[in-house]
Amino acid sequence: MRLVDSEQPDVVLIAGDIMNDTTIAYDHHNMHEHLSKLDAPLGVYATLGNHDYRGYDKQIAKAVTAAGITVLDNQSVLLDDSVWLIGRSDDVDQSRLSAQALLTQVDTEQPIVFLEHRPSMMDEISSLPIDLHVAGHTHGGQIFPLTLLMRGLAPLHYGAKVVGETQFLVTSGYGFGPVPFRLGTRSEIWMITLTPSDAVAEPSSQSAR
């Protein structure tokens, strides 16, 4: 939280897998106290990931909301009257809307940031008037040699890539998966600078400890 505060972001985005399947560890370690310290002038927003959809999605969404974070579940919000933020639920949600359907909620003449957990629909997203897509899920491979294998298994396993007119960003995340350590990757937060006109977003990262 101190790293986030030190950068003074306009908005904070969390790309899913906020908890590991249930709220048990979250409650046991009183993580509400820490998560509720996240703050930004234009708000703190999150989508749910696959580990948030293991039968506890309603409880997890309720806990996250109680911490002052807005869960964008197939919803959109206009930030500072200038940039649209769309949040889509994870692939496992059979009722989630298509990206095309979600665009009917916004003015596509304005910049659009699309937030979801997985970078699995790059062809769909890049064919639409979406300027920036932010995702996670892959953990950057998390453990060597998966860090190498993921490069061939995912369209973008980590980092930045431009497809068509859409900038894709995939972070390795601030935590880890079922294996409680990393080897060859790091936990991180990204600072994303949006620039005007047809310039792309410029990400930078910091290690999260």
Side-chain angles (χ1 to χ4, degrees), residues 9 23 26 30 48 50 53 57 62 67-68 102 105 124 142 148 161 195 202:
T23 62
Y26 180 86
N30 192 25
L48 299 185
N50 57 301
Y53 278 100
D57 51 296
K62 182 178 179 180
L102 287 169
Q105 301 177 7
E124 173 198 19
Q142 186 170 321
L148 299 178
K161 183 177 183 179
T195 53
E202 299 178 359

Side-chain angles (χ1 to χ4, degrees), residues 56 104 144 162 178 185:
Y56 284 81
T104 63
F144 180 84
V162 176
T185 61

Side-chain angles (χ1 to χ4, degrees), residues 47-61:
T47 54
L48 299 185
N50 57 301
H51 282 279
D52 299 315
Y53 278 100
R54 300 287 176 87
Y56 284 81
D57 51 296
K58 289 183 174 58
Q59 294 92 325
I60 289 174

Side-chain angles (χ1 to χ4, degrees), residues 7 39 41 53 69 77 82 118 131 171 179-180 185 193-194 198 208:
E7 296 292 338
D39 187 41
Y53 278 100
I69 298 171
V77 61
S82 58
R118 304 193 210 198
D131 300 283
T171 173
V179 179
T185 61
T193 302
L194 298 182
D198 57 354

